[in-house]
Amino acid sequence: MFCVHCGLPEAEGEHPGCRGARAALEPPRFCPECARRMVVQITPVGWSARCSRHGETTSAVATG
């Protein structure tokens, strides 16, 4: 697994800048499965992030 904010392995270091309160509000920038940089789209109601290998993640909450 990789850090979604910096792309480094989760087990490598403490990632202080990636675990702060501000980072919790940011969309992911790197794929947690392969660490590839993702294409991020931010809208007024949320965000979507797409990895070329692993597909799309969104901030939308599933209802139903």
Side-chain angles (χ1 to χ4, degrees), residues 11-45:
E12 189 175 296
E14 294 185 23
H15 303 267
C18 302
R19 303 207 196 295
R22 182 177 173 99
L25 300 174
E26 292 289 320
R29 302 296 178 173
F30 294 89
C31 178
E33 294 183 46
C34 66
R36 286 187 188 329
R37 186 94 168 144
M38 295 195 293
V39 176
V40 178
Q41 177 71 41
I42 300 172
T43 66
V45 295

